Amino acid sequence: MSHASSSKICKYNVFLSFRGKDTRRNIVSHLYNALEQRGICTFKDDERLETGKSISDELLKAIEEARFAVVIFSESYASSRWCLEELAHIIKCKKELEQIVIPVFYDVSPSDVRHQNPPFAHSFSQQEVKYKDDMEKVQRWRDAFVEAGKISGYHLLNFKDEAECIKKLVDDIFPKSLQVISPFPESLVGMKSQVEKVTSLLDMESNDVRSIGIWGMGGIGKTEIATILHQTYRHRFEADCFLGDVGKLHQKNGLTWLQQVVICKLLGEKLTLTSEHEGMNILKNILRWKKVLFIIDDVNHQEQLEFLVGEPEWFGRGSRIILTARDKHLLISQVGDNVYEVQLLSEDEALELFSRHAFREKTPKEDFMELSRQVVKHAGGLPLALKVLGSSFYGRDKKHWTHIIDRLKRIPHKDILGKLRLSFDGLDKEEKELFLDITFLDNAYCGGSNFHLCVESVQRDPSRGFLVDCLVEKSLLSINISNKFVMHNMIRKMGENVNIFVMHNMIRKMGENVIREEYANSRIWLPKEVYDLFKGKLITEMVENLCIPKYYYFEDDFVNYSNTFKRMQSLKILIVGDGTFSSNCAITYLPSSLRFIDWPGFPSFSLPESFEPSQLVVLCLRKSWLAELCPISKKLSNLKHLDLSESLELTKPPNFGDMPILEKLNLEGCVNLKEVHPSLGHCRMLTFLSLSKCVKLKRLPKFVCMESLVTLNLLECTSLQEFPEICGDMRGLSILNLGSPWIRSLLPFLSGVRDLQLNDCEVLESILDTIRNLRDLSISGCNKLATLPNSLFESQQLEYLYIDRCSGLVKLPISLGVQKKLCRLTIERCENLKKLPSSIQMESLRNLRISDSPKLDTFPEINGDMHCLKFLTLKSSGIREVPSSIGNLSGLEFLHLEGCEDLVSLPDSLCNLMNLEHLILHRCKKLEKLPENMGDLQELYMLDVSETAIYQPPPSITKLGKLKILSLSGSNISCLPKNINKHKILSESY
């Protein structure tokens, strides 16, 4: 007999026991339909019996496989031997299998059942006559009646009508039936937190109609999340419908068929529709009175939303509509901003999910761990890939594992590709071409920083508009904003408008497969194909994108590269790896069809004279041998990105008047460039300009029409005499990096600057008080600065502050002490700094470092909540004491006071730092004792008291259970407490 306890997943939710002739056409029929409509799987003997099975055996088995047994007692119930056998077996399952029994008293009373009063008395008398030779059986039936009559159930006389009784019964059963299946089975790794976030969007307590979208790439878990939500919340609604795989069903069966399915599930009506409009009218006219949960999975066309979901007015108050799709724009058009983007699994989650399918365990077997990590890395946190790949490894030995992994590197798993290919097939022609170009770029750049920048540039190709946005919306490309450090550095390097694009490993593999099967020879990056191309074995006219790998070695030194390029009249993207061509390899021809060139170390002194660059959008010739860009004037009317950085031979600057829509210009490290063409100041579209390390550049032209400029980098321009004259509006300038020993002042037109870096501006005496909205401030080697204006910090926007080698700096303004967003503050080698704000209250500060500032003798009081501060360094400063308010730093893990030679004491409140792990007091030569309650620092791992005046540590030090490193060298401590050795101190030197 199978187990049917609450932890068991049963075949049926409900088994119905009833006397057919009394109830089949009334209460049983209505109850059965109500249960089924709520998705409660119900066994009814005239609907569910399998042909060829013994009726009695089938009934007994069905009872055992049900979570609930609903027994409808009617007047002739006891006249049926089958009903009596059912009831006896139900009572047995109640006792042995914890089955829940629910009696319904239909025109009879519980007392009649319990005592076998009329009308049951006559039925039992007849049974006794019929089974006079087996009275034990009859007694068993009587006992079952007694037991059932004692159970609290539903007496029809207590309700105004049959409908009310049925509604109450179904409402009571439904939430309990859901307990059979856990909402978060172990196999759904990494889903619980995501379901919670989607649930918050649903706002289940609100009584309005709410629609939300769940968005993500194929195989990422959208359907799983929607399924969990359906199982968890369906009992709260009058009707529910989960419509899965809508895109495929729409294509196969049409919208009218889908509407019929929805009407059947939500309204319990089987209708034949003649048109989509008829179905739409029925849905919106009938659903408006019902509170429904409607889930449509894998939407891929606007028509599906128009004819199945329509407007919120279609649905009754409290209804919830959940849509899943790979196309974000499609979801936004229906639900607005209520869209949740499903996240890939973390590395640990991915390993667990893979292991559950590869080993049927939570973690991989120890000797398979490294191989498992290789597969998990290949899958890139995509649940579908992890499940499919995990199952393919199940039960195989290491030899098979190695073979499969090697094969995966060449040919990705077809089951995964098929799922992902659906997104590609839904693109139009231009979108497909762009997707394949980006697949090519991702392979060419291996997903590095150049990939992000090139995708940013490719999407702006005039012939393509902004199709990259479509690829992001359709989950074939993503924008990574999780790594704030990488994003911050990218913005500093290339400007505010940079997106960090990411193509998932499995999406890229799918794209490679499409190229290989349907676009052969159009996009070439593999060394073997490059070899065949220059050997004349491939059709050069078909090549659109070409990447010659870094340090690629051409066996034949006499290959005429220019002749090969002449035959590539369709070439649009050319990427040449660094170190591929020697400097004596002149390039005399390039196809004028090129739109994108990235060729570090370009070996010629100029672009070929025959080359017409009118199609170029991106030109990156870093570390080139160029002396000039073009020998004769050429129109670069579509050029948006020009990078000639570190071109050491460049002496003649290009005429920027030939580049009317130039947006990014990088001339960094052009050390022989002495001047810039005057047309630079008229580049109206320019957003990014870097002239860093142009050490011979003495002056810049007037900035006349540069209102679009966001980033200006003039670091290490050691010959620049003055800041460029600004004639027009430059309020858009957000990032300014300046490094010249000759510039005495900044211009007052810089009020919009948010990131300011001043390096080695040795004669700069002040920073303008018009700069008020700084996010990032870095000052180094500015020796004439005595203070900073209070206005710099009044806006409360500062996040990073770095001050180094500013010997003239004496004090910092009071407003610095109350920065709400500041997360990192570093002050180093400011030898004359004497004063900080008297108190600090920086709720976001994580790292505070002050070092080599010997005249700073007082550390500020700590006010308010600063629990985020984890690292505090006061190295080689002149402080005499640490304020007692340091005990308020509840999150502090690292306290570094090395070289504070005037420090004489530590406050007792230091022992309140319950998270402190490292305490460094090295060379605090006047410090004679530690606080008595040092033993309270239970997380302390390292204590360095070397070269201090401490002669006796407090006895409580023996309580430091996690202390592993105690450095005593050069101290006055002659002996330790007797019990200190048991703490396994590993070192006495630091």
Side-chain angles (χ1 to χ4, degrees), residues 722-975:
E722 58 184 20
F723 196 78
E725 182 180 349
I726 298 173
C727 298
D729 180 5
M730 279 186 61
R731 283 178 292 186
L733 187 66
S734 176
I735 301 172
L736 174 60
N737 304 326
L738 182 61
S740 169
W742 307 101
I743 294 178
R744 293 184 175 275
S745 62
L746 302 177
L747 296 178
F749 304 102
L750 305 176
S751 58
V753 171
R754 297 188 67 198
D755 290 15
L756 178 60
Q757 185 174 358
L758 302 172
N759 284 10
D760 298 312
C761 297
E762 298 175 4
V763 297
L764 185 69
E765 296 179 351
S766 65
I767 298 177
L768 296 169
D769 59 8
T770 56
I771 300 177
R772 296 175 177 269
N773 295 299
L774 284 178
R775 175 182 57 195
D776 189 334
L777 176 59
S778 175
I779 307 172
S780 178
C782 299
N783 294 324
K784 291 288 186 180
L785 282 177
T787 187
L788 300 176
N790 206 52
S791 58
L792 279 181
F793 310 110
E794 286 180 347
S795 71
Q796 298 282 318
Q797 298 301 310
L798 196 67
E799 296 177 13
Y800 300 90
L801 176 58
Y802 176 78
I803 304 174
D804 179 35
R805 295 183 297 109
C806 293
S807 60
L809 195 63
V810 176
K811 64 178 182 177
L812 292 175
I814 296 174
S815 58
L816 173 61
V818 288
Q819 294 300 301
K820 294 181 179 179
K821 295 185 178 181
L822 189 65
C823 57
R824 188 178 185 95
L825 171 58
T826 302
I827 303 173
E828 297 183 312
R829 295 178 289 183
C830 293
E831 57 198 55
N832 290 306
L833 181 65
K834 295 181 180 179
K835 191 173 182 182
L836 296 176
S838 59
S839 64
I840 56 174
Q841 185 174 349
M842 303 176 180
E843 58 197 51
S844 300
L845 193 65
R846 296 193 298 267
N847 193 319
L848 172 56
R849 178 181 175 85
I850 301 175
S851 68
D852 299 298
S853 300
K855 293 187 179 180
L856 183 66
D857 58 8
T858 304
F859 187 76
E861 289 288 340
I862 296 157
N863 291 338
D865 182 8
M866 286 184 60
H867 68 276
C868 292
L869 189 63
K870 296 185 181 300
F871 303 92
L872 175 57
T873 300
L874 301 173
K875 183 180 178 182
S876 299
S877 67
I879 63 167
R880 295 186 177 89
E881 61 181 18
V882 176
S884 61
S885 55
I886 194 173
N888 297 333
L889 301 177
S890 59
L892 197 66
E893 297 175 1
F894 188 102
L895 179 57
H896 193 161
L897 300 171
E898 177 184 349
C900 294
E901 298 184 356
D902 293 323
L903 183 67
V904 295
S905 66
L906 293 172
D908 291 339
S909 62
L910 182 76
C911 301
N912 295 337
L913 304 178
M914 295 304 172
N915 289 300
L916 193 66
E917 297 175 3
H918 292 76
L919 178 57
I920 313 298
L921 302 170
H922 176 59
R923 288 195 302 109
C924 293
K925 297 182 177 180
K926 296 182 180 179
L927 186 64
E928 296 183 350
K929 66 176 184 176
L930 296 170
E932 290 298 322
N933 293 330
M934 283 292 291
D936 292 346
L937 301 176
Q938 288 297 301
E939 296 298 318
L940 197 65
Y941 175 87
M942 177 182 183
L943 174 60
D944 183 354
V945 293
S946 59
E947 297 187 41
T948 65
I950 297 173
Y951 56 89
Q952 180 66 52
S956 65
I957 197 174
T958 60
K959 298 179 181 178
L960 298 175
K962 293 188 178 180
L963 188 65
K964 297 297 181 185
I965 301 175
L966 174 60
S967 181
L968 306 172
S969 61
S971 69
N972 293 326
I973 297 177
S974 57
C975 64

Side-chain angles (χ1 to χ4, degrees), residues 351-352 354-377 389-390 392-405:
L351 189 63
E352 180 183 341
F354 173 76
S355 180
R356 288 191 181 279
H357 288 266
F359 302 101
R360 306 300 191 259
E361 297 174 4
K362 189 173 181 179
T363 57
K365 295 177 181 177
E366 189 172 344
D367 53 339
F368 282 83
M369 180 63 78
E370 185 54 39
L371 290 171
S372 296
R373 290 191 183 279
Q374 288 183 40
V375 182
V376 167
K377 183 178 180 181
L389 294 177
S392 68
F393 284 100
Y394 178 66
R396 301 184 185 273
D397 58 25
K398 275 192 174 182
K399 183 178 179 181
H400 280 96
W401 273 64
T402 305
H403 172 73
I404 296 173
I405 290 171

Side-chain angles (χ1 to χ4, degrees), residues 52 56 191 204 217 226 244 285 299 493-494 548 584 615 763 850:
S56 59
M191 287 291 133
M204 295 301 296
M217 63 190 290
N285 286 325
V299 176
K493 183 178 179 183
M494 293 306 295
I548 303 175
N584 59 5
Q615 299 297 315
V763 297
I850 301 175

Side-chain angles (χ1 to χ4, degrees), residues 571-590:
L571 190 64
K572 297 178 179 64
I573 298 178
L574 174 61
I575 300 169
V576 180
D578 197 6
T580 300
F581 292 88
S582 63
S583 59
N584 59 5
C585 176
I587 302 299
T588 60
Y589 184 87
L590 288 172

Side-chain angles (χ1 to χ4, degrees), residues 156-168:
L156 196 61
L157 292 178
N158 294 333
F159 297 90
K160 67 179 182 180
D161 54 31
E162 184 180 303
E164 184 184 54
C165 177
I166 289 173
K167 184 178 186 306
K168 173 64 175 169

Side-chain angles (χ1 to χ4, degrees), residues 244-497:
D245 218 355
V246 168
K248 189 178 290 185
L249 292 175
H250 178 195
Q251 184 178 13
K252 181 180 178 181
N253 301 310
L255 274 172
T256 304
W257 182 87
L258 284 174
Q259 289 175 324
Q260 290 175 172
V261 173
V262 172
I263 290 170
C264 182
K265 288 194 173 188
L266 287 179
L267 304 176
E269 300 288 341
K270 292 184 179 181
L271 300 178
T272 300
L273 303 175
T274 58
S275 71
E276 297 95 338
H277 291 281
E278 181 188 5
M280 183 172 69
N281 288 331
I282 291 173
L283 285 170
K284 69 182 180 182
N285 286 325
I286 301 180
L287 284 179
R288 67 178 61 186
W289 310 112
K290 276 185 175 286
K291 178 183 177 182
V292 302
L293 174 63
F294 189 14
I295 300 176
I296 307 184
D297 183 45
D298 203 18
V299 176
N300 64 2
H301 200 282
Q302 186 66 41
E303 274 190 335
Q304 296 153 14
L305 300 176
E306 181 181 350
F307 287 98
L308 295 176
V309 180
E311 302 294 332
E313 292 77 18
W314 286 25
F315 302 93
R317 289 169 60 82
S319 292
R320 293 294 181 269
I321 300 92
I322 301 172
L323 312 172
T324 82
R326 306 179 193 200
D327 187 338
K328 185 179 183 182
H329 182 72
L330 195 59
L331 293 175
I332 290 174
S333 69
Q334 185 71 27
V335 306
D337 294 332
N338 293 325
V339 177
Y340 175 75
E341 179 182 359
V342 184
Q343 303 299 307
L344 293 165
L345 299 183
S346 68
E347 186 176 343
D348 290 341
E349 290 169 342
L351 189 63
E352 180 183 341
L353 181 59
F354 173 76
S355 180
R356 288 191 181 279
H357 288 266
F359 302 101
R360 306 300 191 259
E361 297 174 4
K362 189 173 181 179
T363 57
K365 295 177 181 177
E366 189 172 344
D367 53 339
F368 282 83
M369 180 63 78
E370 185 54 39
L371 290 171
S372 296
R373 290 191 183 279
Q374 288 183 40
V375 182
V376 167
K377 183 178 180 181
H378 180 80
L382 184 66
L384 170 69
L386 292 161
K387 293 174 187 176
V388 172
L389 294 177
S391 297
S392 68
F393 284 100
Y394 178 66
R396 301 184 185 273
D397 58 25
K398 275 192 174 182
K399 183 178 179 181
H400 280 96
W401 273 64
T402 305
H403 172 73
I404 296 173
I405 290 171
D406 289 341
R407 188 171 182 275
L408 280 174
K409 292 176 181 177
R410 301 190 306 273
I411 306 172
H413 202 289
K414 63 179 181 179
D415 292 346
I416 304 167
L417 287 188
K419 183 82 171 176
L420 299 178
R421 175 68 189 257
L422 294 173
S423 296
F424 175 80
D425 290 339
L427 302 176
D428 63 29
K429 182 179 178 182
E430 286 295 315
E431 291 168 345
K432 286 180 178 178
E433 290 286 343
L434 180 58
F435 170 74
L436 297 177
D437 284 347
I438 294 175
T439 300
F440 163 83
L441 287 171
D442 198 27
N443 278 288
Y445 291 116
C446 299
S449 60
N450 283 338
F451 169 68
H452 314 312
L453 302 177
C454 291
V455 172
E456 181 77 22
S457 301
V458 166
Q459 74 165 329
R460 296 170 181 269
D461 184 325
S463 68
R464 298 181 172 203
F466 291 86
L467 296 180
V468 165
D469 296 341
C470 298
L471 300 184
V472 172
E473 289 171 353
K474 294 178 181 179
S475 307
L476 290 167
L477 197 64
S478 60
I479 299 174
N480 181 18
I481 59 173
S482 60
N483 193 330
K484 294 183 179 179
F485 180 76
V486 172
M487 177 67 82
H488 177 73
N489 285 330
M490 190 70 72
I491 288 172
R492 287 196 62 92
K493 183 178 179 183
M494 293 306 295
E496 292 270 2
N497 296 321

